[in-house]
Each structure stands twice: as C-alpha cells, then as structure tokens.
Amino acid sequence: MYCVFRENSEQQYISLIKGENMKKQNMFTKEYAWRGLMTAGGLLVIAITICIGAFLIYKGSGTFTIFGHSIFEFLGSTDWNPEDNAQGGGTVGALIFIVGSLCTCGLALLIATPFAVGSAIFMIEIAPKFGEKFYRPIVEIFAGIPSVVYGWVGLTVLIPAIKKVFHLQVGHSVLAAGIVLALMIFPTISNVAADSIHSVPKDYRMAAYGLGSTRWQSIYKVVIPAAGSGILSGIILGLARAFGEALAVAMVIGQTTALPKGLFSTTKSLTTEIAAQMGNATEGGEMKTALWTMALLLFLLSLLFILLIHYFSRPKKDKE
Amino acid sequence: MNRVQRARGINQIMTGVFYLIAVFFFTLLIGFASYVIIKGFTGATPEMFAFARKGSIGNQLFNTIYLVFISLLFSIPLGVTAGIYLAMYAKKGFLTKFLRICIETLSSLPSIVVGLFGYLVFLVFFGLGKSLLAGALSVSILAIPVITTTTEDAINGLPGHYLQASLGLGATRWQSIYHVLIPACIPRIMTGVILAAGRGFGEAAALLYTTGSGTDLRWNNWNLTSPPTCPLNIFRPAETLSLQIWGGLQINGQDPNLANLSAAILMILVLLFSIGEMH
Amino acid sequence: MEAKKANDYKFDISHLNLHYGDFHALKDVNMKIEANKITAFIGPSGCGKSTFLKTLNRMNDLVENCKIDGNVLLDGKDIFKEMDEITLRHRVGMVFQQPNPFPKSVYDNVAYGPRIAGIKKKSQLDEIVERSLRQAAIWDELKDRLNKSALGLSGGQQQRLCIARTLAVEPEVILMDEPTSALDPISTSKIEDLAMELKKDYTIVMVTHNMQQAVRVSDNTAFFLLGEVIEYNDTEKLFSIPEDKRTEDYITGRFG
C-alpha cells in the first residue's frame, strides 16, 4: 500500500538530489559561519574580561609608575592624603580602607556562616519538604534583593536601633556594616552549602544510621565533613560578595578616614572610598589614580577568591 | 545506655537549634520584605507616583525597566552565543579553560569595578557622557556570566540523545543546535535571563558613574533626535530607582519617604521576577 | 524504482580497525552486507557490535579519541574518503536503543529530517509525514494527535515514531541499535514485523541482545566477540550448524 507513496517520493528525492550539490555547499558554509559566530561570542567574552583587567592595570599602576609611590606605602601606610592634581606629592596609604574592608567582611562572615550553614542543614536534612517548598525559595529571593535596599533599611532601621541599644552618639559603625553584609551574604552561603550537602550520597547517611548514629551525629560526623569543600566554596563566594559590596556598606559605615578601633567605631572600606571619591576626583590626578589602584586591588582579590574556590573544590586525589 | 541517652538528648537539642535558626530567618526575611513594602507605601503621597522631574518615582521606574531592557539586548545574544560555544563547540584545551576563568572572573567582579570600567570605556574613551546606554552596557557586563552559565548548563542538561538523534538524521551540528537543542532549553535560558534582569533592576554601584543622576523627561517628546528629554533616547542621563535611593542620601533635604517608596517598588519588582523565575 | 539484483551488496567492509584511545575495540573486521536483507549482529555486551554499527554512519566521529582505519564502502564509495558525514547519514539512517523523540510535536519530529534537508512546502511535508508514519505502521494510532508532544507517547509508539522519523529522510539503509531492548513484548513484536516489512525497500542492520529476535527477523547474522567477527553467515545456518566452537557456546547459552 505504501509502495504508491514510495514511488511518488522517489521522484521528489531525485529532484532533491539534483539541487543537492549547490544546497550542500550552502549548508556547509552556513555550518562554518554559525560555528564562527558562536566562537566569536566566546572570544568576545574573553576580550571583555581581558579589557577590564588591562584597563585596571593600566590605570591602577599609575600610582607606582607615574607618582612613584611604593607598593608598601600603598598597602602598609595609613597616611591617606593624595593630591587631587597631576603633580602629585601627596600620600596614598590605603591601609585604612583595606583594614575597613577586612573588618566588616570578617565580621559579616562570623555572623553569617553559622546561621547560613545551619539553615542549609535545616532545609536539606531536617525538614526537606518544607525546606524545598518554602524555605529555600524565600532564601533564594533574598539573594536577589538589591544591595541599596539592604543599605537603606540598614540606615533607617538598624542604625537608630544600634544607637538606642548601645547608647551611642552615632549608630554608623563597623558593627552595622557587618550586620548588613551578613544579611546580604547569608543567602549566598546558605544556597551553595545546601547544594553541596544535598549532593552528599544518601548511602553515607544510611551507613551512619545503620551504625546507630542519631541524626545530629550523622550530620556532624558524616554529612558536614563530606560536604566540607562545597561549604567552604560557599563561604568564599559570600566573602567575595561582601568585599565587592559598595553602596550598602557606604550607607552604614560612617565614612571616617581612620582605622577602626572597635565594633562601634566608624571607618571606610575600599569600595566605599571609591564610590565616594571617584566622582569628585580630577581625571589623571594622584587621587584618582590611587582610587584606580584600589579598584585594581579589588579585581586582584576577586581573582584570588576564584583561585581559592578552585583550590578547595578540586577533585580529591585520595578517592581512588 | 547513658551514652545513647546523651546522644539522643544532643540530637534533640540540635534539631531544636536548627528549627530556631530557620524560624528566625524565615520571619526575618518575610518581615524585611513586608517592612520595606509597607513602609514605602504608608509614607507615599499620590504625587510621588507621578512622572515629574522632582519628587516622584515614575521616571525612575521607567528608566530602571528601560535600562535593563537595553542591557539585555546586548547581554542575551552575547551570553547565549558564548554559552552555546562552551556547550557545543569548545574543545578541551587552554582556550576553553581560559574562557571559563574569564566568566567566573566576570561573575565575581565587584559591581563598582564594572561601573568604573564602564565609566572609563564608555565615558572617558568613547566620550558618551553619562547616559542610559553607558549604564546599560555596564549592567550587561554583569549579566553576561549569568546568561552564559545558564545557557551552557541548560544545553548540557538536555538528554544526550537529542543531539545523537538529530545527527543520525543527517543534520549538521548547527542545525541540531538551532532546531532541537535551543528550542528544548529555552525555558531554562529564560530563567537565566530573568535572574539577570532581576539583578539589573537593583544594580546601583555599576551605574553610579555611568548613568548619572537626574532625569528630565518630557512625556510628549518622542523625537529621538532632541537629546535629553525624550524618554526613549538612550544617550540621556537616566536615574534609576536604586540610584534614587542612593541619591537621597547625598542631597540634603530629599524626602526619605521617596527613597522608602523606591525601595518598596524595587522590592516588588524583585519579588515578581523571583516568582517568574520559579515558574 | 531502481531494480535490485539478488546478492547485491550495500556495504563492503574490509580490514576495519577501531581504537578508543588505547583500547582496540574492533579488530580487522571484514564483512559484506546484503541489500534488502536484515542483517543481525549478536554477541555479549562490550563485544563491539554497537561500535561497528555506529561506524557505518560515522556516529563514532562524535567520540573523542576514536581512531578508525580500514575501508567501508557504501555502494562502492568509501564513506570516510569519498563522502561527508552529513550525506552519509542521509543515506544511512539510525534508530537508537532508547526511543529518543525530540521534545516537539509528532508532526515536527517526522518533518525534522526533510526540513533540515531543505523541504519547506507544507503540502510536501504533510505527504512525507503521512507516508512515513504509515510505513512505520503507526499512522492510525497517531493521525489524530499529530500536533501533540511526542513525549506523551508510550515507549513502543515513541520507537515506531523514531523509525518513521528515520524513514522520512529517505535513507537506503536503516541501522537499528537494539531497537526493542527498552520495550515490552507486544511493542517488540510490532517493531519486528515492521522491520520485516521494511526490508523490501531498505537494507536493515540490527544489533540485538536477543538471539530469538535474530532468528525471527534476520536473514544474515554476524557473531561478535571481543571486537572480532567470529562468524558471519546465513542466519539459519549460523544457528543450526555453527562453524565455530565459540559461536556454538554462545548460542547454546554456555556464556554471554
């Protein structure tokens, strides 16, 4: 019965073959063109990244090459007084900002990590159904809330609260910045940690229960160590996010050019100084160049964080 | 026996601790969101919803959406092509490895650094002037890694037999990608786009030095050639909602209620997009 | 229709060797495959029968570190030197072990091959789709749901749809890689009937795990072991009076 159809189509097929050679060539040209285009997309992404790095190096190295400051001065001195002109002659010690960044981010990590890991354990191990359906989506939404909103709420709610509770003149402080950052990086750490806890094979837990462990013992002794490198990656990702945050911190840190003396003192961080001064500084001046150097430092730090994540999440060799 | 009882006790205590953490954050996060939204709307006056030059959020809302839209025009094609390249064409080797490192670098760059780069390239180098376009391009740099990774993951997540079947029918690699693989993973790519858009809405640091503040729009001016006031002109300064919140601090005397409202609107946008992303 | 002589050979394979990296997967395979017949490959898993099948339409090109030497002639033309893989795959279609319809409608699945070959006219596509589905004996089941997703079909229907999809490209040879291993007995027998029906117009090469299947449907059978063709003969002969001891051991179930 289908023989009829077949014969019919045989003619079509022959007509198809006739046009085939031309079409075939066309097809292969197309194939190469599209592959070229996709490759170009990949190369363009590489180009953008290299461009960013190159521009930052070019601009940021000016502090050392044009204005003749030493790297040790930049990294080790608290004397920050660059001239806002191309003659230079000021001082460019950025230690205050580096310490400010380290303090606020360190504090944020201290606050956020235990809670974030705890909440990751909750949503995977303790209440997986509720965790998957409600808790995790909510945490994920909070990873997407704009940082200015966090900063704004920090400014209008947290700072007055700190002022009141601790009887201070100003509420702006390292503590406020640490809390705001902790809230911001909490979802990041929590999500990554949850993923890595989730990927721990079920057998491990079964084995632990089979040996008479309680749930906590299996979590503490088996699951967390097995998910360790993933949790660490989450913490580093959170740290990277905290380091790069500018405006939310700027809103609550108090913006004083001085080393922080304690939790309640005001200070500045790398990002907040860039955000505050870049717009006012003269193009090509010592001030602006020093700010570029700080941006370069941030870039290098984010590279460092990536390397750390790669280092910690590399495949373990002792597995085999 | 004693040890077992102790272990049980600790287990119960720790379970309680985890519940406490979860309840704490659950209420904190929900409370945070409702606080921002409620506070924004209770302090708002009807004038604030207008599209006026000062004291309203209409223009900023429009700018925010328009800016994200323009930035997606750049980041979607580039991100998707790079993702397809990684998933389908890239061979193991230095170049591919390097591209992955580049994407990771882009995704972990502080947004203020991206903003500075945008400022340097688009303003100083190309002399654009503070403009919506410069801001959109900066935001698209932030969006590219998100879209690239979701595209790559989406394609790699497809059953391997789709490609095999298509090639087995005599399709070329590109035909297989275009006719089978891409249509099959469009939903997942969309998730990445929505995610990127959601981040774009709230971006402020990257826009600080690229889009400028102030936004003088004439809603009856649709002539693209008269630069600063036509809403669709991409070469005009364009303050977004997030910049409005930030700017509220710099300009003394700006009504904090306005910033509250901006924050509320941003929060609603983010919630809408997050819900959109999950479906 | 081109008249086909008896004992007309479609494939002529000589001295075929295939390496995956260091692994010698096919060892000096020599074989002629008859046109308009069903040729079955049997052998224990990992014996190279699927690898050999995939060589016939160069699906192995996708595998990294895969090195092939030797000659495979399709109608006298070398498939590696005188043909590009796309043209080859138009002529030599393939049906896979797992039914693998695209996440598209039934119609779009079948029309996929013709479309990428450049046929755009709706009426022509309609006709090809109908003919292919009829040939695959699934038209009556699917004619009312051409626009429904193919993923909603049962496994057996999906596999016949995949066969229809292959037929729509108008191949000369159809390779089937254990086409029924994922199916229930009823679907399996439908596919077997279909294969026997199709050999009038096509040359069919089939890898099978199931020796009864080889006996039921095939005209010729090749027995593979550790990358070598141990015995290749008329199916009836191979199963009744095997020449090689190892073939006998395998078909009598002494290993496998």
Side-chain angles (χ1 to χ4, degrees):
Chain A
M1 173 189 150
Y2 49 73
C3 263
V4 183
F5 287 106
R6 169 119 184 118
E7 234 153 85
N8 203 347
S9 73
E10 202 73 22
Q11 284 156 9
Q12 283 165 18
Y13 189 52
I14 289 164
S15 69
L16 215 111
I17 290 174
K18 275 182 193 162
E20 195 111 309
N21 274 344
M22 229 174 68
K23 211 179 283 162
K24 189 125 287 166
Q25 205 160 7
N26 186 15
M27 191 174 80
F28 280 101
T29 328
K30 249 189 191 165
E31 181 68 17
Y32 287 122
W34 282 108
R35 180 164 74 189
L37 193 67
M38 298 300 120
T39 314
L43 291 178
L44 194 54
V45 171
I46 293 184
I48 291 174
T49 319
I50 291 183
C51 257
I52 293 178
F55 267 110
L56 287 171
I57 290 171
Y58 163 67
K59 279 286 187 180
S61 61
T63 301
F64 313 114
T65 55
I66 302 171
F67 296 100
H69 299 286
S70 76
I71 292 184
F72 301 106
E73 182 193 346
F74 179 74
L75 293 177
S77 150
T78 58
D79 199 354
W80 172 254
N81 196 11
E83 296 288 333
D84 193 14
N85 56 46
Q87 278 80 51
T91 50
V92 295
L95 188 63
I96 292 171
F97 314 123
I98 297 170
V99 171
S101 283
L102 286 174
C103 286
T104 48
C105 297
L107 184 63
L109 269 193
L110 278 182
I111 301 171
T113 306
F115 289 109
V117 175
S119 94
I121 292 172
F122 174 81
M123 62 179 136
I124 304 296
E125 298 286 323
I126 310 277
K129 268 192 195 143
F130 175 79
E132 202 55 45
K133 267 217 175 103
F134 298 100
Y135 191 61
R136 192 159 193 185
I138 295 261
V139 172
E140 268 167 17
I141 286 174
F142 278 80
I145 292 182
S147 56
V148 277
V149 174
Y150 281 112
W152 180 248
V153 174
L155 182 68
T156 53
V157 180
L158 183 64
I159 289 199
I162 290 181
K163 218 150 91 177
K164 213 167 175 189
V165 173
F166 298 102
H167 308 288
L168 299 170
Q169 295 269 302
V170 276
H172 298 73
S173 58
V174 171
L175 178 67
I179 294 175
V180 168
L181 282 177
L183 200 55
M184 288 180 62
I185 64 177
F186 162 79
T188 310
I189 303 178
S190 191
N191 279 333
V192 179
D195 281 340
S196 73
I197 291 173
H198 190 76
S199 65
V200 173
K202 248 203 157 82
D203 304 352
Y204 288 17
R205 294 169 186 117
M206 289 304 128
Y209 287 135
L211 293 168
S213 315
T214 61
R215 179 161 68 186
W216 166 244
Q217 283 168 332
S218 95
I219 291 170
Y220 179 68
K221 296 238 159 82
V222 178
V223 175
I224 296 209
S229 67
I231 295 176
L232 206 55
S233 296
I235 294 173
I236 298 170
L237 268 181
L239 186 61
R241 186 168 180 202
F243 247 97
E245 182 46 48
L247 302 189
V249 182
M251 286 175 176
V252 296
I253 201 171
Q255 291 291 51
T256 354
T257 315
L259 281 175
K261 290 177 199 70
L263 278 184
F264 300 110
S265 55
T266 55
T267 182
K268 279 178 174 176
S269 75
L270 288 168
T271 47
T272 63
E273 182 66 2
I274 296 175
Q277 302 296 340
M278 204 60 153
N280 312 326
T282 320
E283 195 58 45
E286 187 179 41
M287 173 84 152
K288 197 148 203 166
T289 311
L291 292 173
W292 278 112
T293 313
M294 282 157 59
L296 175 63
L297 183 61
L298 284 173
F299 177 75
L300 295 177
L301 279 172
S302 61
L303 279 182
L304 175 72
F305 290 133
I306 292 173
L307 288 179
L308 282 177
I309 290 173
H310 275 262
Y311 177 76
F312 286 119
S313 57
R314 75 194 183 288
K316 296 239 167 62
K317 281 193 184 121
D318 52 356
K319 253 182 191 166
E320 186 63 14
Chain B
M1 206 53 212
N2 203 6
R3 260 189 53 197
V4 174
Q5 273 168 359
R6 224 184 66 194
R8 272 185 200 285
I10 294 176
N11 182 44
Q12 258 151 21
I13 292 170
M14 289 315 294
T15 305
V17 168
F18 287 125
Y19 266 96
L20 270 181
I21 292 175
V23 168
F24 175 68
F25 274 98
F26 199 69
T27 41
L28 181 72
L29 297 178
I30 300 233
F32 186 97
S34 8
Y35 171 83
V36 170
I37 293 172
I38 292 168
K39 187 161 180 219
F41 282 97
T42 47
T45 57
E47 300 89 70
M48 286 185 187
F49 292 97
F51 290 83
R53 197 161 160 254
K54 265 198 172 129
S56 69
I57 60 147
N59 287 346
Q60 281 79 1
L61 177 60
F62 171 76
N63 285 339
T64 306
I65 294 170
Y66 191 41
L67 184 135
V68 168
F69 174 74
I70 300 278
S71 81
L72 289 179
L73 287 187
F74 292 100
S75 51
I76 292 177
L78 190 53
V80 170
T81 40
I84 294 174
Y85 171 74
L86 274 177
M88 299 301 300
Y89 290 109
K91 299 200 175 67
K92 272 181 203 156
F94 174 75
L95 191 74
T96 309
K97 224 177 198 173
F98 189 62
L99 177 53
R100 281 181 208 285
I101 292 178
C102 283
I103 287 163
E104 272 181 74
T105 311
L106 282 185
S107 72
S108 73
L109 268 187
S111 56
I112 184 135
V113 173
V114 174
L116 289 184
F117 173 73
Y119 162 78
L120 193 66
V121 172
F122 306 124
L123 275 74
V124 178
F125 208 70
F126 291 115
L128 268 183
K130 286 194 173 179
S131 62
L132 193 133
L133 180 64
L137 286 169
S138 307
V139 170
S140 67
I141 293 179
L142 291 166
I144 285 168
V146 180
I147 298 178
T148 305
T149 10
T150 38
T151 306
E152 190 196 351
D153 291 348
I155 294 178
N156 285 337
L158 290 176
H161 62 232
Y162 287 170
L163 179 66
Q164 281 223 333
S166 175
L167 291 176
L169 291 166
T172 64
R173 191 164 264 259
W174 172 252
Q175 283 174 327
S176 316
I177 294 171
Y178 184 76
H179 293 286
V180 179
L181 301 185
I182 303 245
C185 59
I186 276 191
R188 283 197 57 195
I189 296 179
M190 276 312 291
T191 311
V193 170
I194 291 172
L195 187 69
R199 290 209 191 144
F201 284 132
E203 189 48 54
L207 301 178
L208 206 52
Y209 294 118
T210 47
T211 53
S213 53
T215 180
D216 184 12
L217 300 185
R218 304 267 155 73
W219 286 92
N220 49 10
N221 176 5
W222 295 102
N223 179 4
L224 279 173
T225 50
S226 65
T229 58
C230 168
L232 292 181
N233 189 320
I234 53 174
F235 295 105
R236 62 180 171 83
E239 187 178 75
T240 63
L241 286 172
S242 52
L243 283 177
Q244 190 175 34
I245 301 174
W246 172 249
L249 298 167
Q250 315 295 318
I251 307 155
N252 285 330
Q254 181 169 347
D255 191 354
N257 284 332
L258 200 61
N260 282 336
L261 182 61
S262 303
I265 301 280
L266 262 184
M267 189 66 127
I268 291 172
L269 270 180
V270 168
L271 289 180
L272 285 179
F273 268 69
S274 304
I275 292 163
E277 186 201 324
M278 283 164 199
H279 292 288
Chain C
M1 254 180 167
E2 180 194 347
K4 276 171 183 139
K5 290 172 284 173
N7 283 342
D8 190 4
Y9 292 114
K10 200 72 195 170
F11 274 109
D12 185 351
I13 300 113
S14 52
H15 303 298
L16 182 77
N17 280 286
L18 186 146
H19 294 260
Y20 288 129
D22 294 334
F23 178 61
H24 198 170
L26 291 175
K27 297 168 191 161
D28 194 40
V29 176
N30 296 286
M31 192 186 285
K32 286 180 178 179
I33 294 174
E34 275 184 276
N36 293 75
K37 291 274 165 69
I38 298 180
T39 304
F41 297 164
I42 59 168
S45 355
C47 66
K49 56 191 192 299
S50 278
T51 305
F52 181 58
L53 189 79
K54 284 180 184 150
T55 310
L56 297 181
N57 74 342
R58 289 178 60 183
M59 289 301 276
N60 280 333
D61 287 15
L62 300 176
V63 182
E64 272 178 64
N65 289 329
C66 174
K67 208 174 125 279
I68 302 171
D69 31 33
N71 299 315
V72 179
L73 305 182
L74 173 64
D75 287 338
K77 275 183 138 189
D78 191 308
I79 65 165
F80 295 109
K81 292 172 194 132
E82 297 173 74
M83 235 178 266
D84 64 83
E85 76 275 19
I86 307 296
T87 317
L88 173 68
R89 289 178 196 149
H90 277 293
R91 293 177 60 186
V92 182
M94 184 151 197
V95 176
F96 297 83
Q97 187 170 0
Q98 290 286 335
N100 55 1
F102 299 130
K104 295 171 181 280
S105 69
V106 170
Y107 183 96
D108 287 339
N109 262 284
V110 182
Y112 180 79
R115 273 188 181 140
I116 57 169
I119 296 176
K120 292 205 178 76
K121 247 170 67 190
K122 180 85 169 82
S123 59
Q124 207 175 346
L125 286 173
D126 285 350
E127 195 229 288
I128 295 176
V129 169
E130 179 172 348
R131 169 172 46 78
S132 311
L133 287 171
R134 277 189 197 280
Q135 268 187 298
I138 197 174
W139 169 253
D140 292 329
E141 284 167 67
L142 296 186
K143 65 182 176 210
D144 298 324
R145 41 204 291 203
L146 290 178
N147 294 317
K148 297 264 168 59
S149 168
L151 298 182
L153 305 179
S154 74
Q157 286 174 325
Q158 286 190 358
Q159 192 62 303
R160 277 180 291 151
L161 174 69
C162 289
I163 293 175
R165 188 176 64 182
T166 306
L167 296 176
V169 185
E170 301 270 338
E172 299 153 36
V173 182
I174 301 174
L175 308 177
M176 296 185 173
D177 188 1
E178 300 188 27
T180 60
S181 70
L183 304 181
D184 60 276
I186 295 170
S187 305
T188 299
S189 88
K190 279 186 183 163
I191 303 267
E192 286 177 6
D193 293 347
L194 178 58
M196 299 203 316
E197 196 66 40
L198 287 173
K199 75 173 179 181
K200 289 179 197 155
D201 299 307
Y202 304 90
T203 304
I204 294 175
V205 186
M206 182 190 278
V207 165
T208 176
H209 244 26
N210 178 335
M211 276 181 278
Q212 280 74 40
Q213 186 168 58
V215 174
R216 280 194 301 264
V217 301
S218 73
D219 302 293
N220 298 313
T221 300
F223 171 58
F224 282 74
L225 188 64
L226 300 170
E228 281 179 83
V229 178
I230 303 298
E231 193 168 346
Y232 176 46
N233 212 335
D234 188 81
T235 300
E236 224 167 287
K237 279 190 198 143
L238 186 127
F239 280 96
S240 50
I241 25 170
E243 285 167 8
D244 196 290
K245 179 80 172 58
R246 289 167 289 181
T247 316
E248 192 184 341
D249 286 349
Y250 183 70
I251 58 179
T252 51
R254 247 166 266 172
F255 72 93

